[in-house]
Amino acid sequence: MSGKLFFAKDIVRKLSPVAVPPVCTKGLGFGEAFAPHMFEVDSIKEDWGTPQINQFHNLSLPPQCSGLHYGLQCFEGLKAYRDKKNNIRLFRPEMNLRRLQNSMNRLVFPRFDEKEMLDCLKELVRIDADHVPAERGYSLYLRPTAIGTNHNLRVGPADRCKLFIITSPVGPYYPTGFKPVSLMVDDEHRRAWPGGTGSSKIGANYAGPIFHQVECAKKGYSQILWLGPGDVVDEVGAMNFMCIWKNKNGERELITAPLDGTILPGVTRDSILSLVRSWGEIKVNEQRFTIHDLVDALKRGDVEEMFGCGTAAIVSPVNGLNFKGTHYDVPCPLETSVTMRLFNTIQDIQYGDVEHEWSTVI
Ligand SMILES: *Cc1c(COP(=O)(O)O)cnc(C)c1O
């Protein structure tokens, strides 16, 4: 059953009466500045109300709402890019909105029309187009979010919800070139588990790991490599994890965990797998592998590269790994790496330097 949908043609605009000058993104951290407008639409029961684009503002919420108490919250992350002809582009946005729909489904929020939501997103980006920075590495980060806004403390599905999009001009993830990370393998705590919510992009998946991330940083490592039952390799921090190695048959292979419900289905992950398959040079294997497979391969010298991948960084090369107190250096060829080739190939598409069906001018 699905209630009243919302449509982009019905957007009510209450825009800033004066043009707000874009901020300087140089030296700015992630998500510290915001463009002047935001998209909002609220639901009651199954029915969506009128979609709105308003000036960026703080929200007024019932302090008893489930978004603040029971983790009824999910979000997305994607970017708008400015190409050399001054067009604004999005990279595979329909994948993010499909994933948002799935996450919202998981939280029993009402369904929305994905095409209409995409049109709303595009409209917001067009209105704040001046806030999409130019130059490689720069972008306007888009953060669609849904929260339970019900007026009671009941533990149950929210009978009210708010779907909104805020946008944030961001500078390059690597202002001074690739910065490799070191990983601490956590074989004690879990980010996700079979039957859990690992494949939904919900805030709760981020709240749990924060404590362990702080412990990891205290030990001098940048990210946690999360494992699942049977010591299988899961994800790295909040990124998907990939390794290029010589497999047991001696073939050059890119291996990553399959989408079995514990792994977040990353748009970057999907894009990388598809690109590497299209090259036809490296075998692609979406299969479970354990930390022991990984450490054995490192000891044998069979690992070529390891990296994390996600929208923020695209790829994040790994140069070291600690497992049970032993540090292993990880080969990190940087300039000549597949990691670097993927980084450049994906950026070429995102910034429209190479025409590709994944990148659309809005
Ligand atoms: C968002 C996210 C990713 C990366 O997804 P992209 O669509 O590539 O940005 C990977 N793992 C987790 C846990 C995430 O939340």
Side-chain angles (χ1 to χ4, degrees):
M1 197 189 71
S2 132
K4 197 167 146 271
L5 297 169
F6 63 86
F7 299 92
K9 67 171 171 47
D10 298 328
I11 293 176
V12 171
R13 294 165 178 75
K14 285 198 204 113
L15 306 186
S16 168
V18 292
V20 179
V23 296
C24 172
T25 35
K26 286 226 162 56
L28 206 64
F30 172 73
E32 287 181 354
F34 293 89
H37 297 98
M38 63 188 284
F39 170 84
E40 298 176 77
V41 61
D42 295 279
S43 69
I44 301 181
K45 303 261 174 56
E46 298 281 297
D47 298 328
W48 289 105
T50 308
Q52 303 173 27
I53 293 181
N54 296 321
Q55 291 187 52
F56 183 92
H57 63 98
N58 288 343
L59 299 178
S60 171
L61 294 172
Q64 67 272 32
C65 73
S66 59
L68 295 176
H69 291 267
Y70 307 123
L72 265 71
Q73 186 277 356
C74 61
F75 65 98
E76 271 304 321
L78 68 164
K79 289 173 172 179
Y81 309 86
R82 187 178 291 278
D83 71 15
K84 292 203 175 89
K85 294 179 192 147
N86 241 349
N87 296 311
I88 310 289
R89 293 171 172 271
L90 296 175
F91 182 77
R92 312 187 78 186
E94 61 290 337
M95 287 197 78
N96 293 91
L97 297 185
R98 167 58 51 87
R99 195 169 66 190
L100 178 65
Q101 180 91 277
N102 291 341
S103 301
M104 286 175 68
N105 244 339
R106 187 69 173 75
L107 299 174
V108 200
F109 288 157
R111 300 189 68 79
F112 59 88
D113 184 301
E114 290 166 31
K115 210 198 136 288
E116 292 297 329
M117 181 62 180
L118 179 55
D119 285 344
C120 293
L121 177 91
K122 287 180 180 172
E123 187 56 20
L124 177 66
V125 175
R126 281 190 208 106
I127 285 173
D128 280 339
D130 288 352
H131 298 265
V132 183
E135 284 183 61
R136 268 249 172 166
Y138 290 78
S139 61
L140 184 68
Y141 182 80
L142 315 177
R143 171 54 66 88
T145 308
I147 55 174
T149 54
N150 46 298
H151 293 186
N152 54 62
L153 271 177
R154 267 198 302 273
V155 180
D159 58 3
R160 287 168 193 256
C161 125
K162 178 184 270 302
L163 175 57
F164 62 92
I165 310 171
I166 51 175
T167 74
S168 170
V170 292
Y173 193 89
Y174 300 111
T176 54
F178 260 172
K179 200 169 164 286
V181 295
S182 55
L183 309 184
M184 171 67 74
V185 179
D186 193 331
D187 58 352
E188 198 180 339
H189 311 104
R190 299 275 186 252
R191 181 200 84 88
W193 44 88
T197 52
S199 63
S200 303
K201 209 165 176 77
I202 62 174
N205 290 343
Y206 281 65
I210 287 210
F211 183 89
H212 308 300
Q213 176 59 41
V214 170
E215 296 300 303
C216 165
K218 278 185 200 157
K219 290 173 191 145
Y221 286 82
S222 6
Q223 295 283 346
I224 296 175
L225 185 64
W226 296 103
L227 305 182
D231 291 345
V232 294
V233 175
D234 213 333
E235 297 200 55
V236 55
M239 287 187 277
N240 293 120
F241 177 80
M242 298 191 174
C243 175
I244 300 176
W245 65 4
K246 204 189 285 169
N247 69 15
K248 281 164 190 152
N249 303 324
E251 298 161 306
R252 200 173 171 216
E253 177 181 88
L254 183 157
I255 189 154
T256 194
L259 300 181
D260 61 0
T262 55
I263 303 295
L264 198 287
V267 176
T268 318
R269 174 189 182 279
D270 185 83
S271 306
I272 288 173
L273 296 183
S274 153
L275 283 171
V276 174
R277 283 192 176 107
S278 77
W279 296 344
E281 299 162 24
I282 305 168
K283 191 178 165 192
V284 172
N285 193 1
E286 294 175 66
Q287 206 186 309
R288 281 299 184 180
F289 59 103
T290 67
I291 185 62
H292 310 291
D293 296 332
L294 211 54
V295 167
D296 288 349
L298 276 171
K299 286 182 184 159
R300 286 197 309 270
D302 281 349
V303 170
E304 278 183 41
E305 298 168 41
M306 291 180 191
F307 58 93
C309 63
T311 295
I314 306 178
V315 284
S316 177
V318 173
N319 64 4
L321 172 156
N322 184 310
F323 181 50
K324 290 192 185 294
T326 306
H327 181 92
Y328 301 88
D329 285 328
V330 173
C332 193
L334 292 187
E335 291 311 315
T336 59
S337 63
V338 175
T339 311
M340 178 68 91
R341 182 174 167 194
L342 286 165
F343 183 69
N344 290 328
T345 306
I346 291 178
Q347 277 206 332
D348 282 346
I349 298 171
Q350 289 172 335
Y351 289 88
D353 291 344
V354 169
E355 274 302 325
H356 196 285
E357 58 179 5
W358 288 343
S359 172
T360 43
V361 172
I362 66 162

